[in-house]
Amino acid sequence: MQTDYNVIVAGYGPVGACAANLLGYYNINSLIIDKEKEIYTLPRAITWDDECRRIIVPCNFADKIEIRKIRGIDHINGKGESFLKIRMAEEDKYDYQVGPTFMYQPEFEKAFRDNAETYDTNHFKLGFEVLSYEEIDEYIRVKIKNLDTNTIEHVTTKYLIGADGANSIIRKKMGVKYKSFKYDEPWMCVDGFADQNLECFKDVDAFQICNPKRSLTIINSVNNKFRFEIMIMPEDDLNEIQKEEVFYPFIAKYLKNRKFTFTRKAIYTFHSTSVNSWKKNNVFLVGDAAHQMPPFMGQGMNSGMRDVENLLWKLSGVISKKYNPNILDSYEHERKYHAEKIIKASIAMGNIIMTPSPLKAFFRDIGIKIKSLTKKGKQSFYPGYSGIRLGNGLHNHPIERSHIFRYYFPAISLSEDKNKTTDDLLQKNFGLILNNFNKDTSISENNCNLLNTIDFRILNRSDSSMKSNYSKFDCFQSNGKDLDTYFSHFECNAVLIRPDKYVFDIIHFNEEDSLDQIISNIINMLVDKKLL
């Protein structure tokens, strides 16, 4: 049956808007549905990391989003002493850094929406509510309601993505249940802006005040916008604490003489959950519809964007008949494992921040200072930036913990144009990066045909301009030391990269091997994973 759309996305928050941009990039006939016609004008998410920025760089609007690079995070005990300071740029092994930034969500979402709405293949029904769906043979019929007229419509699709948040109607209709990590804590969020920067932010951009009497988070966002997150204590009156005269004393020492305007106050409970099943036939869950986590890693929205990237390169390849439809099963396996690792790390950080007694805080400080004596120990507190493998799927990630770039390949800047990277050459395709390969570059006709089927790219870092009969073979020169470091660190001479820039595997070959032999081995690897 010919459906109205190839993909329908329920939900047009930041994760749904990320999906809309990627669907437009992949030229997929799509419908995005949301109850709200306009962007929510107050901030909720505040952190956007570099990995998720790379997701939308090919969509050509990332530079329109104003960000503030996070220099570091300091953790202060009840005595006002620092016991754990994390500098996000401490890793000097590579020039490229995987680190977080702060952004202002209303402006951030507007940039996402404005760009998503430039794609001819994207269609929108805003002010519409998804009521239910039913799977009929090989298509999905979605029932929606126009909230202006109260009229019912039906639309059909091959695939349905639930990006409709924590109260997801798609999840409820799927009949899947949450697995709770039993970590639910009430906090109050206070947003606002000042006439100038706060004095406390000298070499970091966030503080975790880990005081047993009351924990507090302070964030230095863009353009003198700030966030205070105040832990709710058992004795607090939830109505009273939202009054400025009540909560102001908790943050007054950080504001000092600054003129400050408060724009938002909200009490909410952090949840830690993951659904048991992220996929049912051709229906998928992403973002908060699939998982929720405390904010202490700044990874809630980012994890949702990773979900979308992981799912859509596979889905676009299946729709265009590049890839075997069975690869869609890997979405849940890969992302569920990764997201749950982040959830557990967020809970662990929450336990550090919310240590309930002075005695426990005393031993906490000693233990953390000892663990922080090594770089590996200090990095373990924020594993999202030091390395988490995907769950089992379309890759050969080592089980033992490794450097993040063994899992996720850095963007290597090009010497001829420092504004361009290997991402620009690969786009969202499988690619092989070779290190100074100087043997036979011819590839058999059969292998060329297979590579062309999936738009496979081959990049050879070389000072010479070698040619190949394969049209998507290119030589390039890199800027900086990152590739030399990479190949030396992992003792390899090539790396196979997925469309989402995760490493499929590092490649070793003999000096006498031809490029065709190397490609034959790679094709066998892809076949073994049932990708082709």
Side-chain angles (χ1 to χ4, degrees), residues 366-378 380-381:
I366 293 174
I368 287 175
K369 286 178 180 178
I370 293 172
K371 189 173 183 180
S372 300
L373 291 174
T374 65
K375 181 180 288 187
K376 187 175 181 180
K378 183 174 282 191
S380 68
F381 293 108

Side-chain angles (χ1 to χ4, degrees), residues 182-432:
K182 296 180 172 56
Y183 193 82
D184 306 287
E185 298 291 340
W187 282 61
M188 182 171 73
C189 179
V190 178
D191 285 303
F193 59 90
D195 57 341
Q196 54 185 305
N197 199 9
L198 304 187
E199 289 181 11
C200 59
F201 293 114
K202 294 177 181 178
D203 60 348
V204 297
D205 293 295
F207 287 95
Q208 301 283 11
I209 311 301
C210 311
N211 190 336
K213 292 181 179 179
R214 185 185 300 271
S215 299
L216 178 70
T217 298
I218 313 168
I219 291 172
N220 182 17
S221 185
V222 297
N223 292 331
N224 293 330
K225 297 182 178 72
F226 301 93
R227 170 168 293 177
F228 298 90
E229 293 176 348
I230 302 167
M231 184 179 177
I232 299 297
M233 305 303 287
E235 65 271 16
D236 288 332
D237 182 301
L238 298 186
N239 292 317
E240 285 295 310
I241 198 171
Q242 295 184 66
K243 296 178 180 178
E244 186 174 328
E245 62 269 22
V246 177
F247 71 73
Y248 189 86
F250 302 139
I251 62 178
K253 64 179 288 187
Y254 306 102
L255 297 178
K256 292 193 173 177
N257 298 321
R258 301 296 190 261
K259 182 180 179 182
F260 202 90
T261 302
F262 296 105
T263 57
R264 173 184 179 240
K265 302 183 291 288
I267 292 177
Y268 54 99
T269 299
F270 303 151
H271 296 293
S272 304
T273 56
S274 173
V275 293
N276 294 326
S277 178
W278 295 31
K279 172 186 181 294
K280 186 174 183 181
N281 300 323
N282 287 337
V283 183
F284 304 86
L285 298 175
V286 297
D288 284 358
H291 49 75
Q292 297 177 58
M293 61 191 68
F296 305 118
M297 292 284 153
Q299 286 295 302
M301 182 193 75
N302 289 289
S303 292
M305 289 187 172
R306 288 188 181 91
D307 298 341
V308 166
E309 169 81 322
N310 186 293
L311 174 61
L312 287 185
W313 77 258
K314 298 168 183 175
L315 196 56
S316 68
V318 170
I319 290 172
S320 62
K321 301 189 185 322
K322 282 184 182 180
Y323 308 139
N324 187 322
N326 291 331
I327 71 166
L328 297 178
D329 292 334
S330 70
Y331 163 66
E332 176 180 333
H333 299 309
E334 291 184 349
R335 285 297 309 139
K336 183 177 173 67
Y337 176 89
H338 190 282
E340 290 185 356
K341 284 285 187 181
I342 295 287
I343 292 171
K344 291 172 184 176
S346 299
I347 291 172
M349 179 53 68
N351 288 333
I352 290 173
I353 294 168
M354 296 183 289
T355 302
S357 74
L359 181 61
K360 289 183 177 180
F362 173 78
F363 288 110
R364 170 201 66 191
D365 295 358
I366 293 174
I368 287 175
K369 286 178 180 178
I370 293 172
K371 189 173 183 180
S372 300
L373 291 174
T374 65
K375 181 180 288 187
K376 187 175 181 180
K378 183 174 282 191
Q379 288 176 340
S380 68
F381 293 108
Y382 287 87
Y385 305 119
S386 59
I388 298 177
R389 74 186 294 271
L390 296 173
N392 294 336
L394 305 178
H395 59 81
N396 292 321
H397 287 176
I399 297 297
E400 67 278 6
R401 187 177 173 191
S402 183
H403 189 281
I404 186 171
F405 293 151
R406 177 59 182 85
Y407 311 129
Y408 182 69
F409 194 74
I412 306 297
S413 62
L414 308 182
S415 58
E416 59 268 28
D417 185 349
K418 293 181 181 179
N419 292 321
K420 287 195 173 183
T421 71
T422 47
D423 287 6
D424 296 295
L425 300 179
L426 294 171
Q427 292 293 305
K428 290 187 181 292
N429 299 291
F430 269 93
L432 176 68

Side-chain angles (χ1 to χ4, degrees), residues 93-96 410-412 479-487:
K93 185 184 292 291
Y94 293 88
D95 294 330
Y96 175 79
I412 306 297
N479 182 57
K481 58 181 172 52
D482 282 359
L483 271 184
D484 288 325
T485 303
Y486 192 94
F487 290 123

Side-chain angles (χ1 to χ4, degrees), residues 65-121:
I65 299 170
E66 189 166 7
I67 58 175
R68 180 187 185 93
K69 192 76 175 177
I70 302 176
R71 295 167 294 171
I73 302 172
D74 205 355
H75 301 73
I76 309 297
N77 63 20
K79 298 178 181 178
E81 302 166 340
S82 171
F83 66 93
L84 174 64
K85 182 180 282 190
I86 304 290
R87 297 192 184 278
M88 293 303 176
E90 276 190 329
E91 174 65 75
D92 58 2
K93 185 184 292 291
Y94 293 88
D95 294 330
Y96 175 79
Q97 299 291 327
V98 177
T101 63
F102 288 135
M103 53 74 183
Y104 184 63
Q105 187 173 350
E107 296 169 359
F108 175 87
E109 269 192 72
K110 185 178 186 303
F112 270 74
R113 285 196 178 195
D114 286 349
N115 197 73
E117 290 160 20
T118 65
Y119 293 105
D120 292 337
T121 51

